[in-house]
Amino acid sequence: MMASNEDHPHGDETVGVPITCDNWRNKQLNEAKDKIWSEIKRCFDIEENRRDHCLKLAGKLLRGFRTFLSTTFLRDTEGTFVDAELPSKYASLISPKEWETFKSKRKTQEFKSVSETNRQRASSPAYPYRKGRVGYGRLEQSILTKENSSETSLPAHVLWKEARVGKDGKIKEDVQQIFEKCETLSQSIVPYEDTDCRSILSRALDVPEYSGRVRGKGFGITQKSLNIKKQKTPSNKELQQTLEALKAEVLELRKERERDRAAGFKDTSDKDSINCNFQPTIPEGISPCHLYLARPTYRMVGKGKVHNNLGELLHTKPLPTGSLKVSVDIALEKDALLPHPDDVSDATLLGDAIGSFVAWPTDLIIVGYETPTKSKAKDKGIAREIESVASQKEIPVAKKTEISKRTGAKKKNPSKYRACLHTCLETTDISDGCVRLIPMDGAIFGFEYAEPLGKEDFDQILYHTQLSVGVINTYMRYLYDKLMGPRGLEQRFSFLNPMKTNLTEMIRKPDEVRTYVVERFMADTDREKLFFLPFNTGDGGHWLLVAINPFKEIVYYLDSLHNDWTTYPAMKTIVDTIIQTVRAQRKIQVPKRKANNITWNRVECPRQRNNIDCGYYTLRFMKETLLMDRTDIPSDYFDEYRCAYYSKDQLDEIKEELCQFIIELQVL
């Protein structure tokens, strides 16, 4: 750590830190550290943000140099202290006074005690590092490269375990136990309720967490370099203050909206030249509708909601004559030209107008959605009068209210994140019939699209009613983002889109269903994988889970009503056909008598106790299987989650996760 003037042709001063320095953090060394950093930059092209790391490495080298001097010159072969003279080799770096001080410190009983303790600890670590000179950084990079992962880092406990795998590939039992404990902790810890500042690995090891480093990441990695910040859990008082502020903002926005409406009425009534465009043939207020175009052929191109109010304006401007204001929810033909292009957003195509307001000719608006066929199916004593999954997103609000009354679903005061979402929704135009789009990455279902969520969908989460396919799909994206991605589970699990694979689609378009599922299965033929299919029976909106392992040709059937798959023969037939098609494309030969030998396992999963919880049960089945990280589901379900039925708290957990995720997406 010392250098003479001969080593520095560009400087006259000696850069160095005395070997008697025991505290590298001593502020008196700042000047010397600045000179060391200047020398490093003079010799190497290095970025300024690496200064702390380089100086820590310099401190480590200083400690190593002191250990070398003690071992080489101050101890004999038996470890007895030797009163040696200053080695001439280092006379230019160490002064006689420093050498004598250095020797005297090595003679003290305090130093000997600390040295012996450190020697014993280093000689017999509880969990020895077994990768030799390969550091954590290179080990992590090699693992990510080998797995062809798109991630940039591994969880600390995963890297810690891999660093303790020997050349024979075996893992000691105590190391595996710590790893499994980390996995359990990572699944059970609720981030916003966590008050322990230690990492998961430190908790599993039951050791304190030291500042300036990240356990299981190697030398030079700090919490600052990883940008790890402990998020403070808001207190009840802070949450209450936030809610009060949001309520005040909502109240002000309502007042402002009323003033704008009053101004709009006045402006339109004072001018005879403005067409108020109120159509008595269309119900007053906001109504769901189908949107049609007449050229080149008369056809339905989208769905939305028509706003038939006196004095209605579009972006503060009067509506074109013979047109009404429409909010576009779904575009069946995204490339269809708008009858009146939107000058404000420059939208000319229907697909560009999703989630916004446009003007639409009155004679091309058909009020009301398709009415689903109702059925009163008595299934295990549970009556169902809820729409099929294909039309759940299309039921008017009034009908939803009637359904809630019939099923006994009472509005309850939402809590925590549901309260925040409820308040946020009041500041938006969701209640006016607008929707929000949840982006769906192509890796989730095999194709990229945006999932629309409207008021009905948000009400299902807030007030515990039957779940629609939009909510189911949104939660699957939550599982993909928060559980599968961070843990690398996408290599072992995948999803099938329930909108493309419900019973209605299987009966009407079996070829399209087969094509979609076969393509999903064939995309991963080189590894065993479990595909989750949240299946809607179509006989009243009942949800159940079908988990398919095409590699082993096993189907797991989880129905919270405890029905058998024979209840839905069309579903079983098409799933069997798909697996046989995949078998043929993989060129797997089986005897003709075993061609239909596909294993179906009925799982004794928790059972619902009413007629609206099936969707929540289906979501928990997927989540718990992912948490177990098992591609096989036991016939009596997992021991860790086995129960007669899910409690209110377990179902509320699903709703809280959904609300928090939607808030984090910032789509409102």
Side-chain angles (χ1 to χ4, degrees):
M1 298 303 298
M2 301 283 291
S4 65
N5 294 343
E6 296 176 356
D7 298 324
H8 304 281
H10 300 288
D12 298 325
E13 298 182 3
T14 297
V15 179
V17 177
I19 62 172
T20 55
C21 172
D22 294 328
N23 184 7
W24 185 250
R25 296 188 180 91
N26 194 326
K27 294 183 178 180
Q28 295 179 0
L29 299 179
N30 288 348
E31 184 178 355
K33 290 180 180 179
D34 291 340
K35 293 178 180 179
I36 293 172
W37 177 239
S38 298
E39 287 301 304
I40 293 174
K41 291 187 66 176
R42 185 174 66 84
C43 299
F44 302 97
D45 183 13
I46 190 167
E47 297 178 357
E48 189 68 30
N49 60 7
R50 300 297 293 169
R51 183 180 189 275
D52 289 345
H53 172 68
C54 291
L55 291 179
K56 285 180 181 178
L57 186 58
K60 188 177 181 180
L61 292 173
L62 175 60
R63 294 192 297 274
F65 180 57
R66 288 202 299 262
T67 302
F68 166 76
L69 291 175
S70 297
T71 305
T72 307
F73 301 106
L74 300 181
R75 294 185 183 277
D76 57 18
T77 56
E78 296 180 356
T80 306
F81 180 80
V82 177
D83 191 5
E85 297 294 330
L86 173 64
S88 58
K89 181 179 180 180
Y90 301 107
S92 61
L93 301 176
I94 305 171
S95 68
K97 183 178 179 181
E98 288 176 2
W99 179 252
E100 292 300 323
T101 304
F102 178 71
K103 286 195 302 181
S104 64
K105 286 185 177 182
R106 261 51 185 174
K107 293 180 183 179
T108 62
Q109 187 61 37
E110 180 183 0
F111 174 80
K112 291 179 181 179
S113 176
V114 173
S115 178
E116 183 62 27
T117 301
N118 290 339
R119 186 181 297 108
Q120 291 179 359
R121 185 175 61 183
S123 62
S124 57
Y127 310 99
Y129 185 89
R130 306 185 67 183
K131 294 301 179 182
R133 296 178 63 86
V134 178
Y136 276 100
R138 282 187 290 172
L139 174 63
E140 182 176 46
Q141 192 60 42
S142 64
I143 294 173
L144 293 173
T145 302
K146 183 178 179 180
E147 295 180 354
N148 195 24
S149 174
S150 60
E151 300 293 330
T152 58
S153 63
L154 293 171
H157 66 280
V158 174
L159 190 59
W160 180 87
K161 185 194 78 168
E162 293 297 329
R164 283 148 184 83
V165 178
K167 292 182 179 180
D168 56 0
K170 295 182 179 180
I171 305 175
K172 290 187 175 181
E173 184 178 352
D174 54 351
V175 173
Q176 184 63 29
Q177 288 176 354
I178 294 296
F179 174 76
E180 291 175 355
K181 190 174 181 181
C182 289
E183 288 288 283
T184 302
L185 284 172
S186 65
Q187 297 165 11
S188 60
I189 292 173
V190 182
Y192 57 85
E193 295 179 356
D194 187 23
T195 58
D196 194 336
C197 62
R198 294 182 300 168
S199 67
I200 289 175
L201 181 56
S202 297
R203 298 183 212 191
L205 293 170
D206 195 20
V207 294
E209 189 69 273
Y210 300 101
S211 60
R213 76 164 184 185
V214 177
R215 189 179 295 275
K217 285 293 187 178
F219 177 77
I221 303 299
T222 65
Q223 294 192 12
K224 183 178 179 181
S225 65
L226 287 179
N227 196 27
I228 297 177
K229 295 182 179 180
K230 177 66 178 177
Q231 293 187 356
K232 180 184 176 182
T233 304
S235 63
N236 291 336
K237 182 178 180 181
E238 290 173 334
L239 284 174
Q240 187 63 33
Q241 290 175 347
T242 302
L243 287 175
E244 292 298 330
L246 287 172
K247 288 179 180 178
E249 184 178 350
V250 170
L251 182 60
E252 185 60 33
L253 287 172
R254 285 176 174 172
K255 291 180 179 178
E256 184 177 345
R257 185 168 61 180
E258 292 300 325
R259 289 195 296 268
D260 291 342
R261 285 181 175 176
F265 292 147
K266 181 178 179 180
D267 291 341
T268 54
S269 61
D270 289 345
K271 299 181 181 180
D272 295 336
S273 59
I274 295 179
N275 186 351
C276 293
N277 282 17
F278 178 82
Q279 300 294 330
T281 57
I282 294 178
E284 184 178 359
I286 303 173
S287 306
C289 65
H290 289 156
L291 305 176
Y292 285 74
L293 287 178
R295 294 186 179 85
T297 58
Y298 186 80
R299 75 238 184 248
M300 185 173 68
V301 294
K303 300 178 183 181
K305 294 180 176 62
V306 56
H307 297 246
N308 188 26
N309 298 311
L310 185 65
E312 191 77 63
L313 300 176
L314 179 63
H315 306 312
T316 70
K317 296 181 180 179
L319 288 161
T321 303
S323 298
L324 288 176
K325 180 179 176 180
V326 167
S327 60
V328 181
D329 295 348
I330 301 172
L332 302 179
E333 286 187 22
K334 293 185 178 180
D335 296 332
L337 292 174
L338 292 172
H340 299 288
D342 190 353
D343 297 333
V344 174
S345 62
D346 294 329
T348 58
L349 302 178
L350 184 61
D352 300 329
I354 294 176
S356 62
F357 294 98
V358 296
W360 207 273
T362 307
D363 58 346
L364 296 177
I365 299 174
I366 305 299
V367 175
Y369 284 146
E370 297 172 348
T371 303
T373 302
K374 294 185 179 180
S375 63
K376 296 184 178 180
K378 291 188 177 180
D379 209 335
K380 298 293 182 180
I382 296 177
R384 294 181 173 278
E385 295 180 323
I386 304 177
E387 75 286 2
S388 68
V389 66
S391 61
Q392 283 178 1
K393 300 183 68 58
E394 304 169 359
I395 276 195
V397 177
K399 184 178 178 183
K400 282 280 185 177
T401 304
E402 294 174 4
I403 292 172
S404 297
K405 291 180 180 179
R406 288 199 302 270
T407 57
K410 298 181 180 180
K411 290 192 176 183
K412 301 177 182 179
N413 293 325
S415 60
K416 294 184 181 178
Y417 286 102
R418 277 177 286 163
C420 293
L421 180 64
H422 183 271
T423 305
C424 289
L425 289 173
E426 289 187 338
T427 66
T428 69
D429 53 3
I430 296 293
S431 59
D432 295 332
C434 293
V435 300
R436 294 296 183 267
L437 302 178
I438 307 297
M440 293 289 176
D441 188 86
I444 302 176
F445 295 123
F447 60 96
E448 186 175 340
Y449 77 106
E451 184 70 47
L453 293 182
K455 184 179 186 300
E456 301 90 350
D457 304 295
F458 291 115
D459 284 349
Q460 291 162 13
I461 305 171
L462 295 174
Y463 304 119
H464 196 87
T465 59
Q466 178 83 0
L467 294 183
S468 67
V469 68
V471 177
I472 297 288
N473 287 342
T474 301
Y475 190 78
M476 284 195 280
R477 186 195 154 172
Y478 162 80
L479 292 176
Y480 185 87
D481 287 2
K482 301 295 185 179
L483 198 57
M484 291 176 62
R487 302 187 185 188
L489 298 179
E490 68 271 21
Q491 304 297 324
R492 291 162 52 77
F493 301 91
S494 194
F495 297 112
L496 296 172
N497 190 296
M499 180 62 84
K500 285 181 168 289
T501 52
N502 60 69
L503 189 61
T504 303
E505 294 295 307
M506 288 182 175
I507 295 174
R508 294 179 180 176
K509 305 174 183 177
D511 292 336
E512 292 183 12
V513 175
R514 279 196 294 268
T515 300
Y516 167 66
V517 179
V518 168
E519 287 179 356
R520 290 288 284 161
F521 287 176
M522 290 301 296
D524 294 278
T525 56
D526 58 339
R527 65 169 69 93
E528 181 181 346
K529 201 169 189 179
L530 190 67
F531 289 82
F532 293 119
L533 167 58
F535 180 77
N536 192 274
T537 62
D539 64 351
H542 177 56
W543 288 101
L544 57 88
L545 179 64
V546 178
I548 308 170
N549 187 333
F551 189 88
K552 290 186 175 180
E553 299 187 353
I554 297 177
V555 182
Y556 300 96
Y557 181 89
L558 295 90
D559 187 348
S560 55
L561 289 179
H562 283 204
N563 289 331
D564 193 86
W565 57 78
T566 55
T567 310
Y568 315 106
M571 178 268 292
K572 184 180 186 303
T573 299
I574 199 165
V575 171
D576 287 347
T577 303
I578 288 169
I579 293 177
Q580 292 168 355
T581 303
V582 172
R583 179 197 299 164
Q585 293 192 15
R586 293 175 61 201
K587 299 181 180 179
I588 296 176
Q589 302 293 330
V590 297
K592 184 174 293 185
R593 66 179 182 278
K594 295 184 178 181
N596 295 325
N597 285 4
I598 297 171
T599 304
W600 282 72
N601 289 338
R602 179 176 174 272
V603 179
E604 291 291 335
C605 51
R607 182 170 183 170
Q608 68 186 86
R609 298 188 296 169
N610 56 32
N611 61 345
I612 58 175
D613 283 350
C614 55
Y616 299 95
Y617 274 62
T618 299
L619 298 181
R620 280 206 70 94
F621 295 159
M622 290 190 289
K623 176 184 176 180
E624 291 170 353
T625 305
L626 289 172
L627 290 175
M628 295 301 299
D629 191 11
R630 289 178 56 176
T631 54
D632 64 300
I633 304 177
S635 298
D636 55 352
Y637 206 54
F638 304 110
D639 291 341
E640 292 79 355
Y641 300 106
R642 188 179 302 147
C643 58
Y645 54 86
Y646 289 133
S647 66
K648 177 182 179 298
D649 290 340
Q650 287 174 304
L651 300 184
D652 285 347
E653 180 180 293
I654 299 294
K655 291 180 278 190
E656 285 291 291
E657 289 170 344
L658 271 166
C659 293
Q660 182 181 3
F661 185 60
I662 292 170
I663 292 171
E664 289 177 351
L665 288 177
Q666 298 182 351
V667 296
L668 297 176

